Amino acid sequence: MIWIVEGELDRLVLTQHLPSDAAAVTSTGGADTFARGWASLLKAPHIFVLYDNDEAGERGATKVRAALPRAVSVPLPLWLGRRGDLTDYFLAGGTYEALLDLARHALRRRR
Amino acid sequence: MACGAKGRVGDYLAWLRHTQGEAAVSAALQTGAWVGPQAPPPAPPLALADAIIYHLSLTPTALAYYHKRGLTDDTILRRRLGYGAPPGKSHQRFVLPILSRGQLVNLKFRRDDTCPTCGAIGQSEGEELICLQGHRYRPADPDEKYIGIQGHNRPFSGAPTKRPAPV
């Protein structure tokens, strides 16, 4: 399982919570940066996009899905607010297990 | 070469190839001069040792910032997160080494957007920043949020140019 997140600091925070069979990656260039050529480098049964709850995050996630159609966007919980990000999620007590539930839900909704 | 930066010819050609294509590189090599649009020479690559120096320059305030971002001491230590000014710049930034298989690929310098009034983390709101306490301010550092400098695996390159004063 691969999680694509918006920035390096988010990636570091998520990595602290990941089991050994999952990885987190980021472009380090912000939400708007995702080159089509990177898609073929990401090989995993499940790829989730976990960007911020704001307009830039939504735009970035759309860009990732355009380059990588099998990637599934996972919206962060609404209680984080419009500007909430992955760091806020973990700082507010969010767990990796709950994140997985959100990912499963997003996967089911897509099917 | 017209850029005149001794030791940076490889970087210059890489930049030329990236922005103008292979033909421009061939033309520049044949004529020994570049007559196209001027571009600043890329910053010289930084070494893993530079990242370690930035890591050793961590101030208590910078450490507190990483903690506020939810990062543990173990992550800060293993990822060699640091603090300091990029070469040629005066404003201190958070330094994030991007490593691949133990090699430094890139050194990212993130602008220090902490609130000057209360020290809380600031978030961009247009051209201004707003902290968790609601203070609005402009970033003291005029450069963009992230500056990236390519890494290399040669020994120490001599950067950073400035280190924070001891606390």
Side-chain angles (χ1 to χ4, degrees):
Chain A
M1 180 185 303
I2 294 175
W3 299 87
I4 303 174
V5 297
E6 197 169 312
E8 178 64 9
L9 286 165
D10 284 339
R11 190 190 73 81
L12 290 174
V13 170
L14 179 57
T15 302
Q16 292 177 167
H17 296 82
L18 286 183
S20 57
D21 62 346
V25 297
T26 178
S27 75
T28 78
D32 271 340
T33 313
F34 193 89
R36 284 188 176 271
W38 298 343
S40 61
L41 301 173
L42 301 175
K43 296 183 174 91
H46 297 297
I47 299 176
F48 296 108
V49 185
L50 203 51
Y51 277 18
D52 295 359
N53 265 354
D54 56 14
E55 277 177 33
E58 282 166 22
R59 235 183 7 252
T62 304
K63 198 168 183 175
V64 173
R65 287 197 314 273
L68 193 58
R70 66 195 181 92
V72 176
S73 273
V74 180
L76 284 164
L78 291 176
W79 53 260
L80 279 173
R82 188 66 190 144
R83 299 177 62 88
D85 64 13
L86 192 56
T87 297
D88 297 330
Y89 170 79
F90 283 115
L91 287 176
T95 63
Y96 181 67
E97 288 67 32
L99 210 53
L100 270 181
D101 283 341
L102 290 172
R104 288 189 197 105
H105 181 69
L107 200 57
R108 275 198 301 271
R109 211 177 42 196
R110 199 176 106 143
R111 283 169 183 161
Chain B
M1 300 295 287
C3 75
K6 194 177 178 184
R8 294 185 190 171
V9 170
D11 300 326
Y12 177 72
L13 292 179
W15 170 82
L16 199 56
R17 183 173 288 113
H18 180 69
T19 57
Q20 310 287 328
E22 197 63 45
V25 174
S26 302
L29 287 173
Q30 281 169 14
T31 60
W34 169 244
V35 293
Q38 294 296 308
L46 295 176
L48 186 56
D50 298 315
I52 292 170
I53 288 189
Y54 281 117
H55 175 64
L56 294 174
S57 304
L58 262 180
T59 61
T61 315
L63 191 60
Y65 169 82
Y66 287 127
H67 287 155
K68 280 180 201 166
R69 296 287 312 221
L71 299 174
T72 63
D73 286 334
D74 182 55
T75 298
I76 295 165
L77 188 66
R78 280 192 302 109
R79 304 290 175 166
R80 302 277 191 266
L81 304 187
Y83 192 67
K89 304 281 183 183
S90 56
H91 287 92
Q92 312 274 320
R93 287 174 164 242
F94 301 102
V95 185
L96 313 172
I98 310 298
L99 304 167
S100 175
R101 297 188 177 94
Q103 308 284 2
L104 183 71
V105 176
N106 198 296
L107 214 53
K108 305 293 283 189
F109 295 84
R110 191 203 188 281
R111 194 174 61 202
D112 184 348
D113 285 342
T114 48
C115 174
T117 308
C118 65
I121 294 175
Q123 284 195 314
S124 300
E125 193 151 287
E127 293 194 353
E128 284 190 318
L129 296 161
I130 182 164
C131 79
L132 296 170
Q133 304 295 323
H135 300 122
R136 286 181 175 274
Y137 53 100
R138 285 188 171 267
D141 187 336
D143 290 317
E144 55 198 295
K145 192 172 176 182
Y146 278 97
I147 294 174
I149 297 183
Q150 191 191 342
H152 69 73
N153 300 310
R154 294 193 297 275
F156 180 54
S157 66
T161 53
K162 284 194 175 186
R163 296 183 63 182
V167 177

